[in-house]
Amino acid sequence: MSWKAVFFLLLGSLALPLATRADETAPVPQIQIDAAQTAATVSPTLYGLMTEEINYSYEGGLYGELVRNRSFKASVNGPKFWDTVGGAAMELDTNTPLNPALAVSLKLDATQASATNPAGIANGGFWGIPIRPQTAYHASFYAKAAAGFTGPLTVALVNNGDSAVLASATVSGLTGDWQKFEATLTTGSTSPSKNNRLVLTTATPGTLWLQQVSLFPPTYLDRANGNRPDLMQLLADMHPKFLRMPGGNYLEGNTIATRFNWKTTIGPVEQRPGHLDDAWGYWSTDGFGLMEYLHWCEDLRMEPLLAVYAGYALRHDYIKPGPDLTPYVQDDLDEIEYVIGSTNTVWGAQRALDGHPEPFPLHYVEVGNEDWFDRSGSYDGRFAQIYDAIKAKYPQLMIIATAKVKTRVPDVMDEHYYRSEEEMEAHAHDYDKYPRDAKTKIFVGEWATRVGSPTPNMAGALGDAAWMTGMERNSDIVLISSYAPMFVNVSDLGKGGSMQWKSDLIGYDALTSYGSPSYWAQQLFSTHHGDTVLASTATGIPTYTWQPPAKKRNGVEQPLPPVQQVPALFYDITRDTASGTLILKIVNRQATAQPVKITISGVPKIAAEATATVLQADKLDDTNTIQEPGKIAPHTETATGLGKDFTRTFPPYSITILELKPE
Ligand code: AHR
């Protein structure tokens, strides 16, 4: 069947009269599936991930580092997040730098220390230091001492409540020169807890300087400078195909100087200066830098989707296209070379030096982020310059634009949608109408149903699922998509705390983590889809009445838009060619159970039984939390009474995946 025919088939199904809200007397909706007709192919890379340094996503999140402000650079006014113990005094010292990147150190005056009153410093981590039983923690730091002091120093994990020492080690041999010290702190049979701190003390009087004080727990796949296992596992279970990196606003920064300057985020961690993530208001040590993003991709077998800096900062400063932009374009080319260049290239060789001689896979490069914010009109020129430079050197790469351009045809356009549940549902059929022959494909690079905080509730999951049926059904156009943001540290939800953006897919504190209902919706869609969209039509789809809110224009509230009838039931049907399984997804966003009649043609027979995976809640605002992480989670059951023609009732507020087996 031609694209045009498929388009009109889909359009025809939409044009059919929609029934009113489902009730006993309403006609039963019908879905007719033609398993012999392909409507579209499903992009194998449809579902990916996107995050950035927001909501303590890396530091205080995915990145394993447990010490907050390990480099003492979070504030110039003093060693923020550090305390003294035992009568010590501490100050920032810019006269005793470790190196040009970490040109400040913490001067610790422990001249009052004694055996009965050890003196030193303590760090409470990112809202606690998580301790688990029988676990080895890797502590490390750089230190130098004033004449006469050689140590020893005790490094300990201490409970804040009862001051119990949960693990400790000593190091000695400090001199007048900077040296790196390392120790393993192994816990015994303690209960998991987060109300702990790292304490570094001396029982011998002296003065010393410290820098890069670090503590790592075991990491995912035991990577040095690696990631938190529970969060990595949640992501691994989603089977993501790519990672949009490194942002978001984080790529751009409020100013050009505070952009994600990738060249300062690679190499030994103690050589990275770090930078103020002013887009989200906190310091990043850049311990989680470009190579760590790439390791993350490798560990989850996903591809990087590299967003390169395009010369625009959030506070509207921009680099003029032309000679001014040239060094930034070169930085972008160097970055791509770092990712995919052979070891014979300058930046490929640097990647090898950084421990990864093999190039990483790369198919997509995005130019900037949300450049529609740039009112200067410079994006067209900036995009063209970067596009031409990349295509000249790497013609195989697909280039993504973030705003409309006139002078080039981008391979892909990045669209962002943050919406209410109703809005998501009202737009779930948008891509059905997209021209099939358009040269530019779509990346839905940030999207979310923003209902619920800190993480979305079931209403969010239903809006997401409705939206995903639309993306999947049209994934010949929507090649790639990524929900955003992905992470939130839920430890301190007050102003200036651990969350800068509400409704984030996965929540966690120092010790535990959970997936929101939206996480489960994503996980189900990402792990259950075929490679082919089958032709289908639907009749009698129930609707509900929605009054869209009034919008403001130039601060002035506009008249209410017209009331809309919005679909209340969504579906999409794909086939997995290898197994032949037909994967039918049904989203019922209503408070009532919904019977649906399903007929399937184009296959001889459908087995009477199938696996049904169901995500369901009693109320729209039902959700998961750190206290109740598994309240909403999918379950599987065996669906019976199936065939080429069957009626099945879908529970209220539910997402169901039926794996139908042709025989
Ligand atoms: O996802 C949060 C922010 O939303 C991203 O940084 C930005 O691209 C968008 O405006």
Side-chain angles (χ1 to χ4, degrees):
M1 189 188 282
S2 72
W3 290 123
K4 216 169 166 187
V6 173
F7 174 60
F8 283 111
L9 187 72
L10 289 166
L11 204 65
S13 73
L14 280 176
L16 287 165
L18 298 169
T20 50
R21 189 178 179 82
D23 60 34
E24 294 294 311
T25 57
V28 172
Q30 300 199 19
I31 298 173
Q32 295 93 27
I33 298 162
D34 185 349
Q37 294 273 17
T38 295
T41 48
V42 181
S43 161
T45 52
L46 180 58
Y47 296 106
L49 303 178
M50 186 266 166
T51 184
E52 58 187 330
E53 187 57 275
I54 181 176
N55 301 325
Y56 294 84
S57 286
Y58 305 142
E59 308 210 0
L62 186 70
Y63 183 41
E65 177 64 79
L66 297 178
V67 174
R68 191 168 185 189
N69 191 18
R70 70 182 181 195
S71 62
F72 311 115
K73 292 182 78 174
S75 168
V76 290
N77 297 324
K80 209 175 171 186
F81 309 118
W82 289 90
D83 296 310
T84 52
V85 292
M90 63 178 180
E91 63 179 345
L92 294 182
D93 183 355
T94 49
N95 296 316
T96 316
L98 174 65
N99 58 41
L102 301 183
V104 66
S105 58
L106 180 131
K107 183 180 179 189
L108 177 62
D109 177 357
T111 42
Q112 303 303 315
S114 67
T116 51
N117 192 23
I121 51 168
N123 187 283
F126 295 89
W127 298 277
I129 291 208
I131 298 297
R132 292 185 173 79
Q134 271 88 35
T135 303
Y137 295 80
H138 179 241
S140 64
F141 56 90
Y142 287 81
K144 67 179 271 186
F149 184 79
T150 56
L153 295 177
T154 300
V155 192
L157 295 170
V158 180
N159 183 267
N160 293 333
D162 59 7
S163 299
V165 175
L166 302 168
S168 75
T170 55
V171 298
S172 53
L174 278 76
T175 66
D177 295 321
W178 283 108
Q179 293 177 78
K180 185 174 184 182
F181 296 90
E182 295 179 83
T184 301
L185 309 182
T186 307
T187 56
S189 57
T190 181
S191 308
S193 63
K194 62 176 180 176
N195 188 24
N196 309 298
R197 60 203 169 124
L198 175 74
V199 182
L200 224 141
T201 50
T202 170
T204 317
T207 298
L208 59 146
W209 289 263
L210 295 159
Q211 180 47 276
Q212 193 76 355
V213 183
S214 168
L215 179 72
F216 268 81
T219 57
Y220 190 74
L221 302 182
D222 288 327
R223 255 196 201 285
N225 199 42
N227 293 338
R228 190 174 146 167
D230 57 337
L231 294 177
M232 286 293 275
Q233 194 55 54
L234 279 165
L235 302 179
D237 292 345
M238 294 172 79
H239 299 186
K241 295 297 185 291
F242 68 88
L243 172 72
R244 177 178 179 235
M245 52 177 262
N249 291 354
Y250 183 58
L251 168 70
E252 302 171 278
N254 279 351
T255 65
I256 292 161
T258 52
R259 71 190 183 280
F260 182 82
N261 186 1
W262 72 271
K263 282 181 180 165
T264 62
T265 74
I266 56 170
V269 284
E270 69 279 4
Q271 300 288 347
R272 304 182 193 175
H275 77 288
L276 178 64
D277 172 13
D278 52 4
W280 303 112
Y282 57 95
W283 184 261
S284 169
T285 64
D286 290 335
F288 197 96
L290 180 60
M291 183 57 101
E292 285 69 32
Y293 278 99
L294 296 169
H295 282 158
W296 178 13
C297 292
E298 188 163 85
D299 289 351
L300 296 190
R301 296 195 193 91
M302 54 185 180
E303 275 197 16
L305 183 157
L306 185 67
V308 295
Y309 185 66
Y312 177 73
L314 292 168
R315 298 227 170 114
H316 307 302
D317 206 1
Y318 68 95
I319 314 283
K320 266 200 221 127
D324 290 356
L325 192 65
T326 303
Y328 296 88
V329 179
Q330 190 56 50
D331 264 1
D332 295 344
L333 292 175
D334 293 347
E335 188 174 12
I336 296 169
E337 190 172 281
Y338 186 82
V339 177
I340 62 173
S342 85
T343 50
N344 295 330
T345 63
V346 172
W347 289 101
Q350 182 61 49
R351 184 191 65 241
L353 268 181
D354 293 344
H356 203 288
E358 279 306 306
F360 292 91
L362 184 72
H363 286 94
Y364 292 100
V365 172
E366 178 158 22
V367 178
N369 175 58
E370 296 191 340
D371 282 83
W372 69 78
F373 278 110
D374 174 12
R375 304 278 177 235
S376 73
S378 71
Y379 186 61
D380 215 327
R382 290 187 285 112
F383 179 83
Q385 195 172 338
I386 297 168
Y387 176 98
D388 290 352
I390 296 175
K391 284 281 184 188
K393 196 161 176 202
Y394 304 104
Q396 78 279 16
L397 292 178
M398 302 269 276
I399 311 292
I400 305 171
T402 77
K404 284 212 166 68
V405 288
K406 293 195 192 98
T407 57
R408 298 291 180 282
V409 180
D411 298 307
V412 182
M413 179 64 73
D414 182 0
E415 300 184 347
H416 293 180
Y417 300 109
Y418 291 109
R419 290 169 162 161
S420 67
E421 185 205 347
E422 295 82 357
E423 229 180 333
M424 271 300 188
E425 290 163 357
H427 287 277
H429 287 276
D430 283 5
Y431 291 119
D432 296 349
K433 299 156 214 157
Y434 195 88
R436 286 356 248 195
D437 54 358
K439 288 212 175 71
T440 301
K441 302 291 185 188
I442 301 294
F443 171 31
V444 188
E446 291 182 31
W447 67 272
T449 309
R450 294 189 70 191
V451 194
S453 177
T455 49
N457 56 27
M458 191 62 193
L462 290 166
D464 289 350
W467 177 249
M468 284 188 282
T469 61
M471 289 199 295
E472 200 167 281
R473 188 170 52 246
N474 293 288
S475 133
D476 53 324
I477 297 163
V478 183
L479 298 185
I480 38 184
S481 74
S482 44
Y483 184 101
M486 198 160 71
F487 285 139
V488 60
N489 188 316
V490 300
S491 300
D492 177 6
L493 299 177
K495 198 168 183 302
S498 58
M499 177 173 75
Q500 289 80 50
W501 183 280
K502 292 176 181 175
S503 297
D504 307 286
L505 203 63
I506 292 170
Y508 47 86
D509 63 8
L511 196 62
T512 61
S513 53
Y514 67 95
S516 63
S518 290
Y519 165 83
W520 287 114
Q522 288 262 332
Q523 207 250 34
L524 290 181
F525 270 69
S526 175
T527 56
H528 294 83
H529 66 78
D531 47 19
T532 305
V533 180
L534 298 179
S536 67
T537 55
T539 55
I541 295 290
T543 65
Y544 68 99
T545 305
W546 176 51
Q547 170 62 71
K551 291 214 167 106
K552 280 193 175 164
R553 197 173 299 141
N554 300 327
V556 181
E557 188 140 318
Q558 301 298 301
L560 276 174
V563 164
Q564 289 184 26
Q565 286 302 115
V566 178
L569 190 80
F570 304 85
Y571 79 94
D572 86 284
I573 171 77
T574 60
R575 179 182 45 219
D576 174 48
T577 306
S579 63
T581 307
L582 309 188
I583 301 159
L584 175 63
K585 299 190 175 96
I586 302 269
V587 183
N588 178 20
R589 63 88 66 198
Q590 304 164 103
T592 49
Q594 177 66 62
V596 181
K597 183 172 160 53
I598 293 149
T599 54
I600 304 166
S601 60
V603 281
K605 212 173 158 213
I606 291 284
E609 291 192 350
T611 302
T613 308
V614 184
L615 186 71
Q616 201 256 327
D618 296 337
K619 302 194 300 303
L620 283 176
D621 61 1
D622 272 353
T623 198
N624 294 335
T625 59
I626 206 91
Q627 293 79 20
E628 219 180 342
K631 183 170 176 177
I632 310 290
H635 70 271
T636 54
E637 59 194 46
T638 302
T640 55
L642 311 178
K644 288 183 66 177
D645 187 343
F646 64 94
T647 297
R648 184 173 171 83
T649 298
F650 295 89
Y653 305 136
S654 68
I655 301 163
T656 302
I657 299 180
L658 274 179
E659 294 172 67
L660 300 163
K661 299 278 181 204
E663 292 185 324

